[in-house]
Amino acid sequence: MKKSFLPALAPVFARSSLLAVMALTIIGCKPSGDSTPATSINEQTVASVAAVEQTPAAVEINIVDKQATFETRSLFAFMQAQRKQSIMFGHQHETTQGLTITATDGTQSDTFNAVGDFAAVYGWDTLSIVTPKQEGDVVEQIKKAYARGGIITVSSHFDNPMTDKQKGVWPVGTSWDKTPAVVAALPGGEFNSVYNGYLDQLADWANNLKDDNGKFIPVIFRILHENTGSWFWWGDEQSTPEQYKQLYQYTVEYLRDTKGVHNFLYAYSPNNFWEVTEANYLERYPGDAYVDVLGFDSYGEAENNENWFKNVVANAALVARMADERGKIPVISEIGIRAPDIEAGKYDNQWYRKLIAGLKADADARAIAFLLTWRNAPEGVPGPDGKNVPHYWVPTNREENISNGTLEDLREFYKDDFTAFNRDISGVYTIETRVK
């Protein structure tokens, strides 16, 4: 049976042990010549220890937003502790898209139907937040995920601010419109007001994202990801490293300082590097003052993928070492079989087992907090001939995945004691913290 991980209880266990040791020491150990009744000493000492037990030791953290909410700070502290014990499983659109679900209200998921539990990390995107919300509003689904103790992460596919009003034939005006727009989005740029409009909507959403008790729900916000590729308007062919850094920094400052968003942790996630060096990772890195979570995105071949798996482990080890040095959280922010392999129906029925085995075997890589796979799109995506083809990364409880062995692969991954799903985590939002 998988074990729940409850880092918030560690200080309680420590204080309980202290109480027991001191109580045993007191019995029969009253100093000779002391006129104070033994019962009085015991009562006073036990009362003092009980007072200590009621005051949890705060965990010291260093995060981007010094005014972050209690729950947001706790999420950071939880991941710092948890990542030494297990790797959490995440899935984009966990409860809002799927091949085996009959409702998208946040109560069902392909993951649950496959292994009997939800993902620990639930991914969504600004495409559900910024007009026209083309992936559908997800506030109620996020509330349900948070209520069951899950962790929320949101990626950003902001439209191209320069061509936003020119939408027509895809990809014009979308994130995938490669017209360079980073400089135009910065203060003083011609389209800064358009970019601010996206951030205003995101900030309004965040400042109203509350649970049923009126507490803000924490979000790991992944800013302008895969910036070392060139398929988005903020990519490496569309901006210099300094220009990208400025836009990332501006985004954090605008949300945190101008709009008063205090329930975000901020994630940086370039693509995986084939020359795995800290220098390469830092080339477009916006700086420790602007990043809480160090991640990377990586998609590889369905076949002959031994070298790719080795590269994933090397990149995971790199971000884990860098996170240790900086007091950050390391993650694999996206991972899966690459397009077009996945759409062509190619698969590897050892994929999940290879992934966890490789990560576990490396002393550094095993310390990542989570890994996240992409969405299970029920409609698929348009193929070469215009007809929709499969587009999913979590094997499902269907005949197709039963017969090809991919469901068994996911279930073995789930059974591994080093993977954590929703029911394997507790106390995520209850840890006392102190911000440096």
Side-chain angles (χ1 to χ4, degrees):
M1 178 178 292
K2 301 186 66 153
K3 296 179 180 179
S4 295
F5 179 66
L6 300 97
L9 295 184
V12 176
F13 294 149
R15 293 191 300 275
S16 298
S17 298
L18 175 64
L19 180 60
V21 170
M22 292 186 70
L24 288 172
T25 303
I26 293 165
I27 298 172
C29 295
K30 175 177 175 287
S32 60
D34 191 338
S35 59
T36 307
T39 54
S40 178
I41 292 176
N42 289 347
E43 289 167 0
Q44 291 172 5
T45 307
V46 171
S48 297
V49 177
V52 171
E53 200 244 350
Q54 292 171 5
T55 308
V59 177
E60 187 174 75
I61 61 173
N62 186 11
I63 59 176
V64 171
D65 187 353
K66 308 304 181 185
Q67 299 180 53
T69 65
F70 177 98
E71 290 76 17
T72 305
R73 300 194 309 269
S74 177
L75 170 59
F76 185 93
F78 173 86
M79 290 192 293
Q80 277 287 43
Q82 162 271 329
R83 72 185 187 87
K84 305 295 185 181
Q85 308 295 326
S86 63
I87 296 174
M88 294 185 289
F89 176 71
H91 185 206
Q92 190 75 1
H93 274 289
E94 165 72 353
T95 58
T96 47
Q97 295 187 23
L99 308 180
T100 65
I101 61 177
T102 58
T104 58
D105 61 355
T107 62
Q108 301 181 37
S109 80
D110 281 347
T111 306
F112 188 92
N113 291 344
V115 301
D117 197 0
F118 292 98
V121 179
Y122 299 70
W124 281 286
D125 193 85
T126 54
L127 292 171
S128 290
I129 299 168
V130 177
T131 303
K133 299 183 180 181
Q134 65 188 66
E135 290 190 339
D137 186 273
V138 292
V139 169
E140 291 305 314
Q141 292 90 332
I142 287 176
K143 286 182 177 181
K144 287 184 174 71
Y146 180 71
R148 63 173 71 98
I151 295 170
I152 313 303
T153 182
V154 168
S155 51
S156 51
H157 283 93
F158 293 126
D159 286 341
N160 189 314
M162 287 187 69
T163 57
D164 190 336
K165 304 301 181 185
Q166 303 171 25
K167 288 190 183 76
V169 178
W170 192 91
V172 175
T174 70
S175 293
W176 292 269
D177 183 332
K178 295 188 283 187
T179 304
V182 169
V183 174
L186 286 165
E190 184 179 359
F191 295 94
N192 174 247
S193 61
V194 178
Y195 187 68
N196 286 352
Y198 304 154
L199 299 182
D200 288 342
Q201 292 181 63
L202 176 60
D204 182 65
W205 178 86
N207 286 328
N208 286 282
L209 186 65
K210 299 178 182 180
D211 67 10
D212 291 341
N213 295 316
K215 293 183 178 181
F216 289 104
I217 296 175
V219 171
I220 301 168
F221 179 51
R222 193 154 59 100
I223 300 175
L224 302 172
H225 60 295
E226 297 177 5
N227 61 89
T228 50
S230 58
W231 42 87
F232 295 130
W233 58 263
W234 57 83
D236 68 344
E237 292 182 4
Q238 289 77 19
S239 62
T240 67
E242 288 307 311
Q243 290 167 350
Y244 174 82
K245 291 177 189 178
Q246 289 175 28
L247 187 58
Y248 185 109
Q249 293 166 356
Y250 174 74
T251 302
V252 172
E253 291 172 348
Y254 190 87
L255 292 170
R256 181 192 62 193
D257 305 332
T258 302
K259 304 302 294 187
V261 173
H262 297 302
N263 52 330
F264 276 7
L265 296 175
Y266 295 96
Y268 173 73
S269 60
N271 306 296
N272 63 301
F273 296 93
W274 284 98
E275 185 181 349
V276 188
T277 66
E278 186 168 328
N280 278 341
Y281 193 91
L282 292 175
E283 183 181 16
R284 299 172 74 86
Y285 181 66
D288 291 345
Y290 294 90
V291 177
D292 296 306
V293 176
L294 302 177
F296 67 95
D297 294 10
S298 185
Y299 290 87
E301 302 90 338
E303 302 164 335
N304 302 316
N305 49 24
E306 181 180 355
N307 288 334
W308 176 74
F309 274 113
K310 289 179 179 178
N311 180 257
V312 167
V313 171
N315 277 270
L318 173 67
V319 295
R321 290 192 298 270
M322 293 178 66
D324 284 340
E325 294 167 0
R326 293 165 170 78
K328 308 296 183 183
I329 309 295
V331 306
I332 301 179
S333 37
E334 281 185 46
I335 190 166
I337 294 174
R338 69 183 184 184
D341 282 13
I342 199 77
E343 288 89 0
K346 294 182 180 180
Y347 62 87
D348 177 351
N349 61 19
Q350 300 290 313
W351 191 90
Y352 278 94
R353 280 173 280 197
K354 289 178 183 177
L355 178 60
I356 194 59
L359 293 171
K360 283 171 57 177
D362 188 280
D364 295 320
R366 66 187 284 121
I368 61 168
F370 68 79
L371 59 88
L372 181 139
T373 59
W374 206 239
R375 68 190 183 113
N376 280 21
E379 75 287 356
V381 295
D385 61 358
K387 295 181 180 179
N388 280 15
V389 293
H391 187 78
Y392 67 97
W393 278 264
V394 172
T396 63
N397 190 8
R398 300 178 303 153
E399 180 55 39
E400 173 184 339
N401 302 116
I402 294 170
S403 61
N404 67 20
T406 56
L407 177 60
E408 179 187 1
D409 184 40
L410 176 66
R411 287 176 170 171
E412 289 301 313
F413 174 86
Y414 168 75
K415 292 175 185 176
D416 194 296
D417 283 339
F418 206 69
T419 63
F421 285 66
N422 203 150
R423 283 201 299 267
D424 298 319
I425 60 173
S426 299
V428 180
Y429 304 104
T430 60
I431 303 172
E432 293 281 351
T433 58
R434 180 176 66 255
V435 178
K436 288 184 181 179

